[in-house]
Amino acid sequence: MFGFLNRDVIKPAVKEINDLTNYEIEVEQKRIGQKIGELKFRIKRTKELPVQESVYPDVENFHPVALELVQAGIEQKVAVSIAEQEWDFVISSKLPVPGSYADFLEYVGEKIEMSLDAVGIKNRAGYIIEAVRENYHDPELQKQRQMRAEKAKEKALEDLKTEFCAKRNNLIRQAVHADPGLVERAAERLQSYIVRQKLVEHPYAIVVYQKGGMVTAEINAILEAEFCQGILAPVVAAYEDDKERILEQGV
């Protein structure tokens, strides 16, 4: 058995560590009778691994607008200048209506995207600069970007709701686990005739509650509204804040 373990697990792992890290491992085997009874691992630091150079070493810490422009082919100094000026770089008479864009980065991103579909341009960098300065328009592109933004917002709200429900349900489960009597007290407040009928066949509401379904959903709603407000308050507040932030994006 040790032979297979040594060949298939220990040796490959030791080799990988020795080859890919700045640590070196030596394995000492100690026999007890005819079998290997103990293993000792000696670990020592060897050499420092070389640091991988960044693809954009000169601009990785730049303003996001500058980085976006450089990656689109704009000269670094020009990109930095545009990023520093932001809306001041745009001709005042061509400035977009306030609220049209979430920020200057989104505005620049639109102009860069326009350059990808522009026909007959010989200097893409120059086109982008002029598009930013002159606020070039492409109604169809703007419509597409708006639709994508709305879909992204809807997806963000759905994901946020899913995350909130999971946290809420987890906290309610913890509360019920700590005090099963919460379910019985909540069951007394049930208004739905159908749900109350499901409880008639069982002496304890907790039995039906643990099966899930309609009864669990109704009781959880009562627990959330009347019995677990304190423990749920921080989660609810965070959810409402994040929801408001998402809804305000792009406004």
Side-chain angles (χ1 to χ4, degrees):
M1 288 293 294
F2 176 77
F4 293 109
L5 177 66
N6 190 42
R7 183 193 68 190
D8 298 334
V9 179
I10 298 175
K11 284 187 175 181
V14 169
K15 184 177 186 303
E16 185 173 358
I17 292 172
N18 289 343
D19 291 345
L20 302 179
T21 73
N22 56 336
Y23 290 91
E24 183 177 325
I25 297 180
E26 295 179 354
V27 183
E28 179 183 339
Q29 302 174 2
K30 183 177 181 181
R31 291 185 176 275
I32 300 178
Q34 297 298 318
K35 298 181 179 180
I36 302 298
E38 294 181 4
L39 292 176
K40 289 186 178 180
F41 293 87
R42 293 191 178 88
I43 304 174
K44 62 180 180 179
R45 194 179 185 91
T46 54
K47 57 184 181 302
E48 293 293 336
L49 293 176
V51 178
Q52 183 177 0
E53 293 185 359
S54 170
V55 177
Y56 295 99
D58 296 330
V59 298
E60 61 181 4
N61 295 321
F62 279 8
H63 188 289
V65 170
L67 182 57
E68 191 86 1
L69 290 168
V70 168
Q71 291 175 340
I74 308 298
E75 185 182 349
Q76 182 175 313
K77 290 182 179 180
V78 177
V80 171
S81 176
I82 294 174
E84 290 176 345
Q85 294 179 69
E86 290 201 340
W87 295 111
D88 289 337
F89 181 77
V90 183
I91 295 175
S92 58
S93 61
K94 301 292 183 67
L95 283 168
V97 175
S100 301
Y101 301 90
D103 51 30
F104 189 63
L105 178 61
E106 181 181 337
Y107 172 82
V108 169
E110 179 190 80
K111 308 314 176 188
I112 292 174
E113 187 173 351
M114 287 175 60
S115 73
L116 298 175
D117 296 327
V119 178
I121 62 171
K122 297 181 179 180
N123 182 353
R124 181 173 176 239
Y127 175 92
I128 294 172
I129 293 171
E130 285 304 310
V132 173
R133 183 188 297 277
E134 299 279 350
N135 190 12
Y136 285 3
H137 290 283
D138 185 337
E140 184 59 31
L141 175 60
Q142 291 176 341
K143 181 179 178 181
Q144 292 175 4
R145 288 177 64 88
Q146 185 175 3
M147 291 175 61
R148 290 199 299 268
E150 289 300 322
K151 288 182 179 179
K153 184 181 294 186
E154 291 175 3
K155 179 64 165 56
L157 288 172
E158 290 176 4
D159 291 344
L160 180 65
K161 183 65 177 293
T162 299
E163 181 183 1
F164 164 72
C165 290
K167 290 180 179 178
R168 177 196 60 193
N169 293 341
N170 185 49
L171 287 173
I172 290 176
R173 280 195 297 269
Q174 292 178 22
V176 170
H177 180 75
D179 182 7
L182 284 173
V183 173
E184 306 300 329
R185 296 196 290 275
E188 295 174 358
R189 289 168 165 73
L190 285 170
Q191 300 296 320
S192 171
Y193 174 79
I194 297 176
V195 175
R196 293 187 65 84
Q197 284 298 110
K198 290 181 178 294
L199 297 177
V200 171
E201 302 174 359
H202 299 82
Y204 300 105
I206 188 69
V207 176
V208 188
Y209 175 83
Q210 291 174 339
K211 293 181 179 180
M214 184 184 297
V215 173
T216 303
E218 291 284 344
I219 290 179
N220 278 348
I222 295 173
L223 290 173
E224 179 181 1
E226 301 184 33
F227 295 93
C228 299
Q229 289 179 325
I231 61 173
L232 292 176
V235 174
V236 173
Y239 168 70
E240 293 297 336
D241 288 345
D242 288 341
K243 181 180 178 180
E244 183 177 358
R245 173 182 52 78
I246 292 172
L247 288 173
E248 289 180 348
Q249 287 179 353
V251 177

